[in-house]
Amino acid sequence: MESQIASLLSEQLDAIGLDIYGPTVPEVLASDGAVPGGILRRNVRAPYWLAYRRDMTFMEIVQLKRWAADHPLLVLGERITERSANALREADVQYLDSAGNAYISFEDVLIDIRGRRSSVPLSRSSVPARSVNLFSARRARVVFALVTWPRLARASVRELASVAGVSSGLAHDCLELLERNGYLSPGRERELRDGEELLDHWTATYPSGLAPTLRLGEFSGDIGEARAVRPDQPIFVSGESAVPRMIRPVSLTIYVDELDPMLAIRNRWRSDEQPNIVVRRKFWTDPGEPKELSDGKLLAPWTLAYADLMATGESRQREAAHQLRADLAQF
């Protein structure tokens, strides 16, 4: 089966006018980790780390980034899902699967092919092998709590679970996964390791993982007026409206405990026009005092504001996101 996959991958490389140098495609498939090599396009040679993963899941592939510090990583594989492809593009990992789905960028070359289906059935060994996803919607809440408040790495499992809005059992399992993947030091005095990298991976999976599970509604209206219905229903502001000093906001992202039907009525929001207001469920419990804006609304944790800014894909919002991270990250 691997010889068939190697042949298909070679055909896909040829179809997009590329070749690899250093190892051959079969040699890449036979390697356990990433191997040095590169991509050749006519007379242009670009150095890469090359790797193969039969199961092209985000968690399987993202571990390889530690091999590829000096050059980009290109991962070849059998089949990639749209969700994994989106996350890898956000994490700046390049890939090619046997169906021809690809994201490859170097020099003046940009190849971005999506949505292709292969007529070749999945190999038997790839179907049951399912790795545990550290960034599933529920586990992503625990990761969020740790990268936002790194001191929680040394807190009790119960306190971490309370902050993240998950069960103690899930928080415990997530801590074990983080330790197994090298993001937590072992022992009683746990410490977060590679927090920058963990935040990058969490942010890359946020738009297709955690964010959709929090959606309560979308509306159009005046983003300057977002008044709570009652004092016990606070509004937490995120995205570009959380950083008005860095960027002039044209949209509003807020988090609330629940969507009170009167919220849209009081603020004169509409649901029949192009939305510029996103309402999401508040899932966390702030271990400290949240920062308050001048109009009485509260700021969502900076990591959520960062992820919401990055998820837009807009250059102006991403610039603001990078500045926010530089100012507030505690790693």
Side-chain angles (χ1 to χ4, degrees), residues 98-160:
S98 62
N101 297 294
Y103 173 64
I104 300 173
S105 176
F106 64 94
E107 299 289 340
D108 61 346
V109 175
L110 174 59
I111 298 169
D112 192 353
I113 303 171
R114 315 181 194 188
R116 288 191 176 178
R117 299 285 184 268
S118 175
S119 58
V120 179
L122 287 171
S123 60
R124 183 182 299 273
S125 60
S126 72
V127 175
R130 186 177 179 183
S131 59
V132 177
N133 182 7
L134 179 57
F135 301 98
S136 66
R138 289 284 175 177
R139 294 189 186 96
R141 295 185 179 194
V142 180
V143 176
F144 150 80
L146 289 169
V147 295
T148 306
W149 301 285
R151 67 172 181 80
L152 290 174
R154 296 185 296 276
S156 67
V157 172
R158 181 177 296 179
E159 180 181 354
L160 175 61

Side-chain angles (χ1 to χ4, degrees), residues 18-23 34-40 44-51 67-68 70-75 92-95 103-107 109-111:
L18 301 179
D19 198 359
I20 65 172
Y21 65 85
V35 293
I39 297 178
L40 178 65
V44 178
R45 298 168 72 90
Y48 273 81
W49 285 93
L50 305 170
W67 291 64
D70 50 349
H71 298 305
L73 174 65
L74 174 64
V75 181
D92 199 26
V93 174
Q94 302 181 38
Y95 59 83
Y103 173 64
I104 300 173
S105 176
F106 64 94
E107 299 289 340
V109 175
L110 174 59
I111 298 169

Side-chain angles (χ1 to χ4, degrees), residues 158-218:
R158 181 177 296 179
E159 180 181 354
L160 175 61
S162 176
V163 172
V166 299
S167 68
S168 294
L170 189 142
H172 178 270
D173 290 346
C174 190
L175 287 172
E176 287 193 342
L177 277 174
L178 287 164
E179 184 177 322
R180 193 183 312 161
N181 285 280
Y183 292 117
L184 275 181
S185 61
R188 191 170 295 179
E189 295 296 323
R190 293 188 300 260
E191 287 188 358
L192 194 63
R193 292 175 172 174
D194 296 326
E196 296 279 2
E197 180 182 289
L198 185 61
L199 175 58
D200 286 339
H201 298 164
W202 177 81
T203 304
T205 60
Y206 173 77
S208 58
L210 176 57
T213 68
L214 306 175
R215 183 184 179 277
L216 293 176
E218 295 183 351

